[in-house]
């Protein structure tokens, strides 16, 4: 049964079975992971529907792998496995996209172009928000959680994920023939 009614009074259970307030740091952490994973799932679904699917299949796998990592990061108190190989996979994909589009960063661009590229930018912004909120929340999390996030390279992975999504948006616009508008600062 999906409903238990045990959370009707503002508390919920952690995976360890401990009951905590719904506004606790750990519940905020789990909610952030869930929200980001959901946004990435929407992005993967949108990409699968496109005519250029063959050109983004590897990227979809990286996005889905990111969802798996986020789910594992919620499996505390077990330590998070090292994320350096995962970050390197994102870097390789970024490098591949850089070669495809003829250089990724030539000044800031306005999010938009193709509707899927715009959704990639929204996902990128979600990753950046996740990163900001995670750094702000870390002092309130149990020390073992913060230590695990830092020592595993998870924080670097999150930073690389937003870079990957920036590159992905550029790639989608390139594949669809949509030009990007430069942001004039």
């Amino acid at each position: 049964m999906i409903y238990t009614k045990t959370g009707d009074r503002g508390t919920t259970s952690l995976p360890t079975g401990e009951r905590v307030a719904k506004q606790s740091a750990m519940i905020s952490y789990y909610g952030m992971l869930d929200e980001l994973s959901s946004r990435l799932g929407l992005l993967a679904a949108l990409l699968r529907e496109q005519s250029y699917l063959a050109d983004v299949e590897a990227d979809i796998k990286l996005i889905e792998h990111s969802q798996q990592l986020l789910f594992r990061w919620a499996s505390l108190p077990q330590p998070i496995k090292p994320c350096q190989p995962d970050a390197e996979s994102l870097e390789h994909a970024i490098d591949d996209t850089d070669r495809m589009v003829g250089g990724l960063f030539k000044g800031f661009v306005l999010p938009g172009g193709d509707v899927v590229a715009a959704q990639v930018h929204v996902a990128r912004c979600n990753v950046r928000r996740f990163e900001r909120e995670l750094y702000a929340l870390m002092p309130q999390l149990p020390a073992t959680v913060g230590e695990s996030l830092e020592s595993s390279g998870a924080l670097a992975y999150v930073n690389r994920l937003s870079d990957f999504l920036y590159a992905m948006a550029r790639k989608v616009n390139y594949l669809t023939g949509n030009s990007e508008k430069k942001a004039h600062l």
Side-chain angles (χ1 to χ4, degrees):
M1 186 175 315
I2 190 69
Y3 61 90
T4 62
K5 300 184 182 180
T6 59
D8 291 355
R9 296 189 183 262
T11 64
T12 191
S13 293
L14 296 176
T16 60
E18 176 189 357
R19 299 280 311 167
V20 296
K22 287 191 176 187
Q23 71 272 20
S24 77
M26 283 305 298
I27 298 306
S28 293
Y29 171 71
Y30 291 138
M32 290 164 41
L33 292 170
D34 188 31
E35 180 182 343
L36 182 54
S37 180
S38 295
R39 176 60 71 177
L40 292 173
L42 172 62
L43 181 57
L46 289 171
L47 287 165
R48 264 194 207 87
E49 295 178 349
Q50 304 310 308
S51 61
Y52 50 81
L53 176 61
D55 294 313
V56 296
E57 284 184 290
D59 301 302
I60 293 169
K61 287 180 182 170
L62 288 172
I63 291 167
E64 290 173 339
H65 183 71
S66 296
Q67 289 181 283
Q68 291 290 340
L69 286 177
L70 294 172
F71 187 77
R72 280 189 231 133
W73 295 355
S75 302
L76 301 168
Q78 293 111 349
I80 296 171
K81 292 182 175 145
C83 297
Q84 182 61 29
D86 302 308
E88 289 172 0
S89 294
L90 293 176
E91 290 169 0
H92 293 306
I94 293 167
D95 294 342
D96 290 345
T97 299
D98 184 58
R99 285 187 288 279
M100 174 188 276
V101 304
L104 283 175
F105 193 76
K106 296 178 181 174
F108 291 99
V109 297
L110 297 176
D114 180 79
V115 70
V116 175
Q119 283 290 337
V120 177
H121 277 294
V122 171
R124 175 187 57 78
C125 291
N126 287 144
V127 173
R128 287 290 188 213
R129 183 178 65 230
F130 173 83
E131 183 179 30
R132 288 189 309 271
E133 290 177 1
L134 183 57
Y135 274 104
L137 187 64
M138 280 181 56
Q140 300 166 46
L141 293 171
T144 55
V145 174
E147 290 166 9
S148 188
L149 287 166
E150 287 181 1
S151 66
S152 67
L155 300 172
Y157 178 84
V158 170
N159 189 38
R160 208 69 69 248
L161 180 58
S162 65
D163 296 336
F164 165 75
L165 291 172
Y166 175 84
M168 185 78 210
R170 300 286 321 268
K171 182 177 187 175
V172 169
N173 277 328
Y174 174 82
L175 291 171
T176 58
N178 281 277
S179 60
E180 295 171 310
K181 294 179 182 174
K182 295 273 185 192
H184 301 288
L185 302 176

